[in-house]
Amino acid sequence: MKAARWHNARDIRVEEVEEPKAGKGKVKIKVEWAGICGSDLHEYAAGPIFVPVQEPHPVSKDVAPIIMGHEFSGQVVEVGEGVTKVKVGDPVVVEPILRCGECPACKKGKYNLCESLGFHGLSGGGGGFSEYTVVDEHMVHKMPEGLSYEQGALVEPAAVALHAVRLSKIKPGDKAAVFGTGPIGLLVIEALKAAGAAEIYVVEVSKERLQKAKELGATSVINPIEEDPVQKLRELTDGGVDVAFEVTGIPAVLQQAIDSTAFEGETVIVSIWEKEAGIQPNNIVLKERNVKGIIAYRDIFPAVMELMKRGYFQAEKLVTKRIKLDDIVAEGFETLIKEKDQVKILVKPE
């Protein structure tokens, strides 16, 4: 079968690889649609981050080159011995977290904080940028009736956004700011609406993405090239927002996000970082602010799909391009680097 494999930064190749089979407790999936994530883009542009290159990943036991793609939907085509959760023909999405099951976090059910955290499609074990992939039964979620496979490919990134909002201190009627409106930032806007935020402000340099933020329900948008975002947010909110979400991974933006919050405000860091970011701790201390990080999600895919049934996280509003697997580098990764009007690109393995 065909699969897109990461060999090195700026070196992803569509190659022929052996088609996997469903062993005991495993589910084989024919991939229908797979999304290119910001994490995938980081791996392509500046990796490795999650890709194992020196030693095999402790859970997948794989080392680069590895098949990429962790946001995907598909149809079950084979089930291994003992599988009861799904059957052949079921439409499914995959929760791609790899965890050890033995560390303190795993034992407390917080598997996204696993000491050996990895992702199917980033850390080995197969991936969604392939015609078929095999995963453990517990990673599979059957899609409810009425959700398309395209919609299914958005469940994973929407889960990141919903988890970030759920773990924040946001309450109905609160004011929030979202710094950065790539796919996750836009999905955070949707999650904030679902959580009852009264005002949602967006900071973004791309005019196309600012327009998309407006379409999704942002109260007001700010281009930091044209005006000071911290000053503007303080003016608009009479002192600062209750919660700011940092979704850019740009060091200077982290300090802006912190400074945009009111006293006792909170900043939630959603980004994965390529390098260190400096902040002034006094800006946190003197206002008794909080800064917290979130990674991925846990126990949330069913809730995401229920919200999708109610009209949140809609594919037609977020998917800007659909491509074939053979074109994933030129029309996918390179396009996302060069064209800032792109939001979510979906890949169809064939």
Side-chain angles (χ1 to χ4, degrees), residues 8-75:
N8 212 323
R10 297 279 179 169
D11 186 8
I12 290 175
R13 308 172 199 171
V14 178
E15 302 172 316
E16 287 290 331
V17 301
E18 186 176 350
E19 186 175 318
K21 296 179 180 178
K24 185 177 181 180
K26 304 280 187 177
V27 178
K28 180 177 178 179
I29 298 163
K30 180 184 183 296
V31 180
E32 292 291 340
W33 286 104
I36 301 178
C37 176
S39 300
D40 297 325
L41 200 58
H42 283 303
E43 297 287 0
Y44 175 71
I49 300 169
F50 285 104
V51 175
V53 291
Q54 300 294 340
E55 298 179 359
H57 187 273
V59 179
S60 74
K61 311 302 182 187
D62 278 357
V63 67
I66 58 99
I67 299 172
M68 295 196 70
H70 61 281
E71 304 177 353
F72 63 96
S73 63
Q75 186 179 71

Side-chain angles (χ1 to χ4, degrees), residues 9-253:
R10 297 279 179 169
D11 186 8
I12 290 175
R13 308 172 199 171
V14 178
E15 302 172 316
E16 287 290 331
V17 301
E18 186 176 350
E19 186 175 318
K21 296 179 180 178
K24 185 177 181 180
K26 304 280 187 177
V27 178
K28 180 177 178 179
I29 298 163
K30 180 184 183 296
V31 180
E32 292 291 340
W33 286 104
I36 301 178
C37 176
S39 300
D40 297 325
L41 200 58
H42 283 303
E43 297 287 0
Y44 175 71
I49 300 169
F50 285 104
V51 175
V53 291
Q54 300 294 340
E55 298 179 359
H57 187 273
V59 179
S60 74
K61 311 302 182 187
D62 278 357
V63 67
I66 58 99
I67 299 172
M68 295 196 70
H70 61 281
E71 304 177 353
F72 63 96
S73 63
Q75 186 179 71
V76 176
V77 293
E78 182 186 349
V79 296
E81 180 186 346
V83 171
T84 59
K85 190 175 180 181
V86 293
K87 63 183 184 303
V88 171
D90 282 347
V92 295
V93 296
V94 170
E95 182 174 355
I97 288 181
L98 303 178
R99 74 265 205 164
C100 71
E102 299 296 329
C103 70
C106 282
K107 287 180 177 178
K108 289 188 175 181
K110 299 188 177 183
Y111 55 86
N112 62 315
L113 306 182
C114 175
E115 291 177 3
S116 300
L117 178 68
F119 296 86
H120 183 86
L122 277 175
S123 310
F129 295 151
S130 61
E131 295 179 74
Y132 298 92
T133 194
V134 168
V135 299
D136 290 334
E137 180 183 17
H138 70 79
M139 299 167 72
V140 175
H141 297 268
K142 187 177 177 181
M143 290 170 56
E145 190 174 340
L147 285 193
S148 68
Y149 283 116
E150 283 194 9
Q151 196 65 57
L154 291 181
V155 171
E156 197 274 349
V160 175
L162 188 59
H163 181 66
V165 170
R166 273 188 169 187
L167 263 61
S168 77
K169 70 169 196 174
I170 202 79
K171 301 185 301 296
D174 279 357
K175 303 170 185 176
V178 180
F179 286 76
T181 52
I184 300 296
L186 292 171
L187 289 162
V188 168
I189 294 172
E190 291 263 69
L192 283 166
K193 285 162 54 182
E199 299 174 24
I200 305 169
Y201 300 95
V202 165
V203 180
E204 169 64 61
V205 297
S206 164
K207 292 181 179 178
E208 292 85 359
R209 288 181 174 178
L210 285 174
Q211 181 57 41
K212 181 64 71 174
K214 287 181 184 177
E215 292 171 12
L216 290 175
T219 306
S220 182
V221 297
I222 301 165
N223 189 328
I225 294 175
E226 298 173 356
E227 54 189 336
D228 182 335
V230 175
Q231 182 179 338
K232 185 66 176 178
L233 283 167
R234 286 176 177 167
E235 291 173 1
L236 290 169
T237 60
D238 191 27
V241 296
D242 298 293
V243 185
F245 294 83
E246 194 293 313
V247 206
T248 69
I250 298 171
V253 176

